[in-house]
Amino acid sequence: MVDVAGSIGGVLSPILEVGKWLAAPIWRQFKYLYNYNTNFKNLEKQVDKLKNTRDEIQRKVTAAERNVEEIKQNVKDWQKDVNKTILEAEQLIQEKTNNPPCFKRLCSNYKQSKKAFKLKWDDIDQLLQQEKEFDQVSFPTIPQDIWLRSTEDYLAFESRNSTVKNVWDALNDENVYMIGVYGMGGIGKTTLVQEVGRKAQKDKLFDDIVFVEVTQNLDIEKVQTEIAEKLGVKFSNKSERANKLYERLKSGKKILLILDNIWENVDLKTIGIPSKIDCGGCKLMFTTRNLDVLEKIGSTNNFKIGILEEEEAWILFARMAGDVIQTRELNSLPNDICKECKGLPIVISTIAKALKNRSHPSDWKVALKELRAHSPTKFIGFLEKEYMKIALSYDYLRDDELKKMFLISSLMENNDSISDLFKHVVYLDILEGANLTMEDAQDRLDKLVRDLKDASLLLDGVTNKQFAMHDVVRVVALTIAYVDHHVFTAKNDIEREWKDRDKLKKCTKISLPGRSSTIISQLWPNDLDCPTLEYFYMPNSYFEIPKDFFKVMPKLKVLNLVGLHQSSLPSSLRLLKNLQTLCLDDSTIKDVAIIGKLKKLKVLSLKRLIIKELSIEIGQLTELRSLDLSNCRQLQVIVPNVISKLLQLEEFHIKGCPIQWKVEVLEELKLLSNLASVELDIKDNKVQPKNLFAKEPKKYKISVGDCWFLYPKYEYLRMLEVKFDSISSLEELHLFKNVELLSLAEFSEDENHIQDSKIDLQSKEIMPLFNEKV
């Protein structure tokens, strides 16, 4: 092929030289034949270069996509043009290979050479130049909420289609600003509006779609924060929250804001939500149980959701129950039970999941019988039957341990932490197992929480360290708790139940979170006689507890007064001889000496108290297993001979406290042979004893030296931060051999800052401190 091409050039050369003089246009035509091989060599070289550039850009694009970033449109267009150009060039090169140049195909050779020349100069070179102008291939985006993504869980029921259509039409109507969806708890309001939101996202009806759940006790700041995060709004101070959200929502961009599960009239402007006259492109959608709430807000386009049709209910039941419904021995039992669920989705789902793995007919017969045997003494009101059906899942819990855990969970609020739940139950005769350590009990609790979630009686919280409960399920739980276990809450009527002395004397538990604590102020001092009370939970209360408040609570085991707003504890606290758990986190208590009288106390939580000294009386708590003094910002002194007496202590959390440790006090830690979990700051590394503990704890976060621990993204069980001045000072920490996260910084007495380390951390001198690299 090369020889033929060369012969063409040799013959044509003199002719082309003449052609240059005769006419420039003629020369431009003949030069493509003259430079045939050169044009193709240049083309092949640039194609290879373009491929390499394309692959480099693709690597950047892949990395950006993995980081959930959006690829710029000009980059996408460039990639498309590059692939098209490369394909065209490769086809031309292949055509040249299949049809080598010769005299018989001068016309074809001319066209190939010209096309190769133009592809190189007009297309490939331009694309390579464009690539140099890409400073970034992507830009960060706000991650799309999980619920907006396509889901197979949604079932498009015929009975809901008209409601979905009405909501959809309202969304498309420019004159409609507010839309409401209402119906009973567990009917499927949230599921419906989320499906409409997904459709709006798919059809690009809005620029942004924001979904926020509004709890029963409206937390405006929390709602503002969630809206801001999903719209990319940043706050510099609290005072600007509402104004900044207001400006963002009225900016003209099309925004759909869904406020789910509202319970009362919401002052939208207080949150930062504009009115209709100033809304720009913003639309609001609400879900609630009460039409009255929507009307008070000003929503006139409201749509009710009813129960499912019989066939629809069966489709949902079959999906939730699974293949067990095909068991021949069950005959018509699955259909009969589904009919008894009366089309309420939450009831259908709960019962179906409870029977999912039960193939014996007797289980289904018992369920059907209990569904049909209504019990008006337990549940009252228009949801009596539905509540009773949900209670069946409670009855199907395999043991009392799970049942007790479920009822205690119902006394706490949504998105409370599992660690707080642990304090409520660890010494309330709920967790089974003799002589459980604190660690064993925590593991046991974690498993029970997972089991309750699997049974659809508990839900995931905002994070994996929290939990929640469906409102309808909570109503059932509180009813069971009151009827079967004499548990009193704000749901109980003050006149008929709280003021009934005989009923109150049987009371075993009281839970009054937030404003509901006003009930106590209405009863005290004459009507709070609770000789059988074991559990008292009254967080964030402004009720001033009188000095003789605890006189008639001899059996009290758990007392949680988190956020107590008074300077001293009532003197009658000393009478609680059976108290085993006391939580006073975030309280204004200044003197805790009286707590030393509670000789059976096992859990004491005093997080963020304003105490300045841990008094000698705490040393009397010889049965204490968990002591939490985290972030007591004024706590400077722990007197000697307190820690050394807490010989049963397994958990000791005292991080975030400006304690002026003394060597002899720290040395008392070595006497605590059961210590398994520790959080500790030692600001002055000169007071550090040779060994901190008798043995290495299983969990610890320890900081030695005046430094801050930067907590990592992932949770570690064993974290150690040390500011040291010599290898010998590090050798004092030879006890720690299983550190997961280690932070070392060299300390200099001459300089008031952390220096770059001058010590080789891989040297033979220092490596024996740890049994492997950390």
Side-chain angles (χ1 to χ4, degrees):
M1 182 181 79
V2 175
D3 291 338
V4 174
S7 63
I8 294 174
V11 173
L12 292 177
S13 181
I15 300 173
L16 292 175
E17 287 298 322
V18 175
K20 289 180 183 180
W21 295 97
L22 291 175
I26 296 175
W27 157 245
R28 285 196 295 271
Q29 303 303 319
F30 278 99
K31 75 174 182 179
Y32 292 118
L33 289 172
Y34 182 77
N35 294 323
Y36 183 89
N37 283 334
T38 300
N39 288 341
F40 270 97
K41 285 179 181 179
N42 290 339
L43 176 63
E44 290 172 356
K45 181 180 179 181
Q46 290 300 86
V47 166
D48 289 340
K49 186 175 181 180
L50 186 59
K51 285 181 178 179
N52 291 335
T53 304
R54 175 194 63 181
D55 294 343
E56 179 64 25
I57 290 296
Q58 183 57 47
R59 282 191 286 272
K60 293 180 180 180
V61 167
T62 301
E65 288 174 338
R66 287 174 178 171
N67 199 38
V68 201
E69 296 183 1
E70 186 170 339
I71 308 305
K72 293 182 176 181
Q73 188 58 45
N74 62 339
V75 175
K76 293 179 182 179
D77 294 340
W78 182 87
Q79 288 181 303
K80 184 178 179 181
D81 292 341
V82 165
N83 290 330
K84 179 182 177 183
T85 301
I86 289 175
L87 178 62
E88 187 177 353
E90 287 178 336
Q91 288 175 345
L92 182 61
I93 293 169
Q94 185 62 44
E95 183 181 333
K96 182 239 185 189
T97 302
N98 295 338
N99 300 289
C102 68
F103 287 104
K104 294 181 180 180
R105 289 191 294 273
L106 284 178
C107 182
S108 175
N109 298 152
Y110 157 77
K111 291 180 178 179
Q112 287 179 339
S113 181
K114 181 179 179 181
K115 190 171 183 180
F117 178 88
K118 288 185 172 295
L119 269 174
K120 189 267 184 190
W121 285 99
D122 296 344
D123 295 323
I124 296 178
D125 287 357
Q126 292 295 321
L127 290 169
L128 289 171
Q129 183 61 36
Q130 289 177 21
E131 183 273 336
K132 294 178 181 178
E133 299 172 4
F134 294 155
D135 53 342
Q136 290 180 330
V137 300
S138 63
F139 52 85
T141 59
I142 299 173
Q144 187 184 82
D145 283 354
I146 294 175
W147 68 269
L148 274 172
R149 300 169 190 171
S150 179
T151 175
E152 296 179 359
D153 294 336
Y154 180 76
L155 296 175
F157 295 124
E158 183 65 28
S159 63
R160 305 287 170 91
N161 287 344
S162 60
T163 303
V164 172
K165 183 180 183 303
N166 290 336
V167 173
W168 181 252
D169 290 343
L171 278 182
N172 283 274
D173 190 338
E174 294 182 356
N175 297 316
V176 174
Y177 173 52
M178 294 183 183
I179 302 167
V181 177
Y182 67 98
M184 71 172 68
I187 201 69
K189 303 181 293 294
T190 301
T191 302
L192 186 143
V193 298
Q194 287 184 340
E195 178 59 17
V196 172
R198 280 190 289 270
K199 179 174 171 56
Q201 174 81 2
K202 182 179 178 181
D203 290 0
K204 298 182 179 179
L205 201 61
F206 296 91
D207 298 308
D208 295 292
I209 299 178
V210 178
F211 180 93
V212 178
E213 181 183 2
V214 181
T215 57
Q216 187 171 354
N217 297 316
L218 175 63
D219 186 339
I220 291 178
E221 191 168 310
K222 180 182 176 183
V223 172
Q224 288 174 326
T225 299
E226 289 192 37
I227 296 173
E229 287 177 350
K230 294 172 183 179
L231 290 177
V233 177
K234 305 293 184 184
F235 301 130
S236 57
N237 55 68
K238 289 185 178 181
S239 62
E240 70 173 5
R241 283 173 170 266
N243 291 334
K244 215 162 185 183
L245 280 181
Y246 196 95
E247 292 301 319
R248 177 68 170 88
L249 291 170
K250 61 168 275 193
S251 63
K253 288 225 171 190
K254 301 188 74 175
I255 300 171
L256 174 61
L257 175 58
I258 303 173
L259 297 181
D260 183 50
N261 196 26
I262 60 174
W263 287 80
E264 56 188 6
N265 184 14
V266 179
D267 186 349
L268 300 178
K269 285 190 177 181
T270 301
I271 297 174
I273 300 173
S275 59
K276 181 178 180 180
I277 196 171
D278 206 14
C279 67
C282 179
K283 278 185 184 284
L284 304 180
M285 187 184 298
F286 308 98
T287 70
T288 184
R289 296 186 182 189
N290 301 315
L291 177 60
D292 181 59
V293 171
L294 295 173
E295 291 174 342
K296 287 179 179 178
I297 291 176
S299 177
T300 56
N301 293 272
N302 304 314
F303 310 100
K304 183 177 181 179
I305 299 182
I307 61 174
L308 298 176
E309 301 290 343
E310 186 172 317
E311 184 178 349
E312 296 170 339
W314 172 248
I315 292 172
L316 179 60
F317 185 91
R319 173 174 284 196
M320 295 297 171
D323 295 337
V324 69
I325 63 172
Q326 299 175 10
T327 304
R328 181 179 300 177
E329 290 78 10
L330 295 179
N331 297 315
S332 65
L333 283 171
N335 280 283
D336 296 338
I337 289 176
C338 182
K339 289 178 181 178
E340 286 299 320
C341 291
K342 307 298 182 185
L344 186 62
I346 189 63
V347 177
I348 295 169
S349 298
T350 304
I351 299 302
K353 287 181 180 179
L355 295 168
K356 184 172 185 177
N357 297 314
R358 297 175 181 268
S359 58
H360 201 284
S362 62
D363 291 327
W364 292 71
K365 289 178 181 178
V366 170
L368 181 60
K369 182 177 180 180
E370 292 185 15
L371 279 168
R372 288 173 172 169
H374 308 313
S375 178
T377 59
K378 286 191 174 185
F379 302 105
I380 59 175
F382 67 94
L383 282 179
E384 172 197 333
K385 298 177 183 178
E386 287 72 20
Y387 288 155
M388 189 275 297
K389 293 163 190 172
I390 293 174
L392 181 59
S393 283
Y394 168 82
D395 294 334
Y396 265 105
L397 291 175
R398 64 177 181 270
D399 51 44
D400 287 341
E401 186 183 29
L402 268 177
K403 290 181 177 180
K404 290 176 182 178
M405 180 66 68
F406 169 64
L407 295 181
I408 287 292
S409 301
S410 72
L411 302 181
M412 301 178 69
E413 297 182 299
N414 278 345
N415 296 312
D416 271 343
S417 69
I418 296 175
S419 62
D420 283 343
L421 175 61
F422 178 71
K423 294 173 184 176
H424 283 244
V425 303
V426 63
Y427 288 111
L428 203 58
D429 297 330
I430 289 180
L431 300 175
E432 296 178 356
N435 300 318
L436 286 177
T437 65
M438 296 294 284
E439 182 183 14
D440 292 338
Q442 181 68 65
D443 291 340
R444 185 69 186 161
L445 172 76
D446 290 343
K447 182 182 184 303
L448 293 175
V449 169
R450 289 196 302 273
D451 289 345
L452 288 172
K453 287 181 179 181
D454 290 343
S456 298
L457 291 173
L458 281 186
L459 305 172
D460 291 329
V462 172
T463 71
N464 58 4
K465 295 182 179 181
Q466 298 171 311
F467 68 94
M469 182 179 289
H470 191 283
D471 294 334
V472 174
V473 176
R474 191 184 302 278
V475 170
V476 171
L478 294 180
T479 304
I480 294 172
Y482 171 68
V483 174
D484 294 349
H485 303 282
H486 311 291
V487 176
F488 278 67
T489 68
K491 300 290 184 183
N492 293 102
D493 183 83
I494 293 178
E495 297 298 327
R496 290 188 292 107
E497 289 150 352
W498 278 100
K499 290 188 176 181
D500 187 320
R501 288 174 175 265
D502 291 335
K503 289 183 179 180
L504 205 58
K505 283 184 178 181
K506 297 178 182 178
C507 175
T508 60
K509 297 176 183 67
I510 290 176
S511 176
L512 295 170
R515 298 175 183 175
S516 56
S517 60
T518 56
I519 290 175
I520 297 295
S521 62
Q522 295 179 53
L523 297 173
W524 185 260
N526 300 317
D527 296 306
L528 201 61
D529 185 0
C530 304
T532 60
L533 191 68
E534 295 182 337
Y535 171 97
F536 189 91
Y537 178 44
M538 191 171 68
N540 303 309
S541 169
Y542 285 89
F543 171 66
E544 182 78 18
I545 298 179
K547 61 180 182 179
D548 53 350
F549 184 79
F550 297 110
K551 281 180 63 176
V552 196
M553 300 181 187
K555 294 186 177 181
L556 197 63
K557 292 181 179 179
V558 175
L559 177 59
N560 192 321
L561 299 174
V562 170
L564 183 64
H565 294 274
Q566 57 190 70
S567 59
S568 61
L569 291 166
S571 57
S572 59
L573 188 72
R574 70 179 69 228
L575 302 175
L576 301 179
K577 302 300 183 182
N578 290 301
L579 194 67
Q580 299 189 51
T581 298
L582 176 61
C583 297
L584 296 169
D585 302 345
D586 299 299
S587 298
T588 56
I589 302 298
K590 295 181 179 180
D591 183 5
V592 295
I594 192 175
I595 296 175
K597 301 294 183 180
L598 307 173
K599 301 299 177 61
K600 290 189 177 181
L601 204 62
K602 293 184 173 65
V603 175
L604 177 59
S605 186
L606 304 174
K607 292 191 293 185
R608 296 176 291 277
L609 252 64
I610 56 176
I611 55 174
K612 296 181 179 180
E613 177 180 299
L614 191 64
S615 56
I616 189 69
E617 288 82 0
I618 298 300
Q620 300 174 33
L621 304 177
T622 56
E623 294 188 26
L624 200 64
R625 291 200 178 182
S626 177
L627 176 59
D628 197 338
L629 298 166
S630 301
N631 299 307
C632 291
R633 299 297 183 184
Q634 298 185 34
L635 180 60
Q636 297 185 11
V637 179
I638 293 183
V639 297
N641 300 318
V642 172
I643 295 176
S644 60
K645 294 180 180 178
L646 308 179
L647 297 179
Q648 302 300 318
L649 205 62
E650 298 177 39
E651 297 181 349
F652 185 35
H653 299 159
I654 195 167
K655 269 191 97 55
C657 304
I659 296 176
Q660 299 173 4
W661 288 103
K662 295 181 179 179
V663 175
E664 58 269 25
V665 175
L666 279 172
E667 286 183 336
E668 295 181 35
L669 290 171
K670 289 185 284 187
L671 301 175
L672 308 182
S673 58
N674 295 321
L675 206 56
S677 178
V678 185
E679 292 185 350
L680 175 68
D681 291 332
I682 305 174
K683 298 296 184 183
D684 184 359
N685 62 347
K686 293 182 180 180
V687 302
Q688 172 193 329
K690 186 173 183 180
N691 288 321
L692 277 172
F693 310 107
K695 60 182 179 180
E696 183 181 26
K698 293 181 180 179
K699 301 178 184 178
Y700 52 79
K701 295 177 184 177
I702 297 174
S703 177
V704 179
D706 189 10
C707 45
W708 297 271
F709 205 110
L710 298 178
Y711 288 102
K713 178 179 179 181
Y714 301 102
E715 184 71 18
Y716 292 91
L717 296 179
R718 297 177 294 278
M719 297 189 285
L720 178 63
E721 183 181 43
V722 181
K723 194 174 183 181
F724 63 96
D725 55 10
S726 67
I727 288 179
S728 61
S729 69
L730 284 176
E731 288 174 346
E732 305 295 334
L733 299 169
H734 72 272
L735 171 71
F736 298 97
K737 299 188 181 300
N738 295 290
V739 182
E740 291 182 332
L741 182 65
L742 173 66
S743 175
L744 295 178
E746 184 182 357
F747 174 79
S748 170
E749 293 183 353
D750 299 327
E751 297 173 12
N752 190 27
H753 64 275
I754 298 175
Q755 296 182 324
D756 293 332
S757 176
K758 298 185 181 70
I759 296 177
D760 180 8
L761 298 180
Q762 300 298 323
S763 71
K764 292 182 179 179
E765 276 188 285
I766 198 169
M767 284 307 291
L769 291 175
F770 307 97
N771 59 10
E772 60 182 82
K773 289 184 180 181
V774 291

